[in-house]
Amino acid sequence: QVKKQCDQKLLIRMKTKCVPCSLNLDTQCPAGYTKITNGTGTPDCRYYLEVKAHTLSFPGCRHRCVKELEQPECCQGHWGPDCMGE
């Protein structure tokens, strides 16, 4: 039995919205994603607050999330929707 389908694993990465670090403990990743940072997340961003006519910028935190997807792909020498061979 020759293997026709060789699915590829894709890793999709994303970051949550930048918020004050103290508020980031409870931040969840979107459905289907797994949080890979702990606690308050990574302090690598800035968030903005508008106060009257000014916009103030503050250091903030965000979480990193990943999701694994299977991408259907035919093995070498096979093609088409049913991965037909030579």
Side-chain angles (χ1 to χ4, degrees):
Q1 178 72 20
V2 177
K3 193 171 178 211
K4 298 180 196 171
Q5 191 145 351
C6 298
D7 293 346
Q8 296 293 316
K9 279 194 191 304
L10 286 180
L11 210 56
I12 311 229
R13 299 170 190 274
M14 60 90 58
K15 293 174 184 169
T16 59
K17 199 173 95 183
C18 190
V19 296
C21 295
S22 58
L23 299 179
N24 204 35
L25 274 168
D26 299 327
T27 299
Q28 297 301 314
C29 292
Y33 284 84
T34 304
K35 194 191 287 186
I36 57 170
T37 42
N38 297 320
T40 57
T42 314
D44 67 346
C45 61
R46 297 188 76 78
Y47 66 95
Y48 301 91
L49 283 181
E50 284 185 29
V51 181
K52 294 187 180 165
H54 303 287
T55 301
L56 305 177
S57 167
F58 298 97
C61 291
R62 56 191 173 176
H63 282 292
R64 296 174 194 277
C65 309
V66 294
K67 176 179 174 176
E68 207 174 74
L69 282 184
E70 288 263 324
Q71 174 136 342
E73 215 164 278
C74 297
C75 298
Q76 198 169 359
H78 296 81
W79 61 87
D82 300 325
C83 294
M84 300 307 292
E86 280 70 64

